[in-house]
Amino acid sequence: MGAWSPAYQAQFAKPLVNQLIALIQRDQSAALAVINAGRAADGNQPLDPVTEIHKGPGPRTGWPWLSLEVGGTTFDRSADKTTRHHETRILLALETGQYDQETAQEDAHDYARLLDMIITSAGPWPALTDWTTPLPIQHETTQTGATVPNASGSVSDVFVESHIPNKVSVPGVEAPVMRITLTVLFELEET
């Protein structure tokens, strides 16, 4: 019997969450300028930047409130045993706040567009190197100040599958809040 050795070095979805946070932090200002220019033309107040970014639930301390959650990961059974070909979904749920539902609806859709623009513009295509290059990040779960992404070339596709608006009740908040949820599909092949 030989010594144990890993069949693969795959990292799966965990690094993608930090890459998403880092990309939002890096590209938000430029994307927000585009969104707010359109809002100004409509006579609407500018959106505030997303500064509350979390990897789980917690008491809301400010609006907008963004949380990221890893969904399911499915594997290609026909792939070689040393290669993990998989699809992962990550959900981004952004709550815009508890106020006039007309305004909340407008804000939610503009925040969805903001996040979609950041994710869809990351790349550059077709190499998708933004998803596999260390990026600066400010988050309490990343003490080093930089992401540790999946291996170069491992991310083969990133696709925003949906924007789902919903009015929800959250603990500690009396009035319903407007939430917009984006589902992002990542396709990876890791060895």
Side-chain angles (χ1 to χ4, degrees):
M1 215 183 247
W4 178 85
S5 66
Y8 50 81
Q9 302 297 318
Q11 297 298 308
F12 306 117
K14 181 181 174 185
L16 295 171
V17 173
N18 285 341
Q19 288 300 110
L20 275 165
I21 292 170
L23 285 166
I24 291 166
Q25 290 174 342
R26 182 190 77 183
D27 298 343
Q28 177 176 209
S29 181
L32 198 55
V34 171
I35 298 294
N36 283 336
R39 289 175 64 88
D42 289 339
N44 293 322
Q45 294 293 316
L47 291 180
D48 290 327
V50 179
T51 58
E52 292 287 339
I53 303 176
H54 303 276
K55 295 181 180 179
R60 278 40 176 191
T61 56
W63 306 106
W65 180 272
L66 176 64
S67 63
L68 291 83
E69 177 183 333
V70 176
T73 297
T74 56
F75 299 98
D76 179 359
R77 187 178 176 120
S78 65
D80 181 300
K81 295 290 185 199
T82 60
T83 301
R84 299 300 279 173
H85 180 256
H86 53 100
E87 292 182 348
T88 295
R89 284 169 175 78
I90 298 179
L91 307 175
L92 288 81
L94 188 135
E95 295 165 2
T96 61
Q98 61 189 67
Y99 46 90
D100 174 26
Q101 289 302 307
E102 299 294 332
T103 304
Q105 185 82 236
E106 287 280 323
D107 290 357
H109 289 289
D110 283 341
Y111 276 118
R113 185 171 166 228
L114 171 77
L115 294 172
D116 191 307
M117 286 172 63
I118 292 168
I119 294 164
T120 303
S121 299
W125 290 92
L128 299 172
T129 54
D130 279 344
W131 300 102
T132 58
T133 301
L135 298 173
I137 185 173
Q138 292 180 353
H139 196 271
E140 63 186 271
T141 63
T142 309
Q143 304 306 316
T144 62
T147 62
V148 181
N150 298 80
S152 177
S154 61
V155 178
S156 57
D157 196 15
V158 179
F159 180 70
V160 178
E161 287 186 319
S162 64
H163 299 180
I164 301 172
N166 200 1
K167 193 166 47 170
V168 297
S169 296
V170 294
V173 179
E174 290 182 27
V177 299
M178 191 68 196
R179 176 183 294 160
I180 189 85
T181 304
L182 281 71
T183 303
V184 184
L185 169 72
F186 292 90
E187 186 174 328
L188 294 93
E189 187 166 331
E190 299 181 285
T191 55

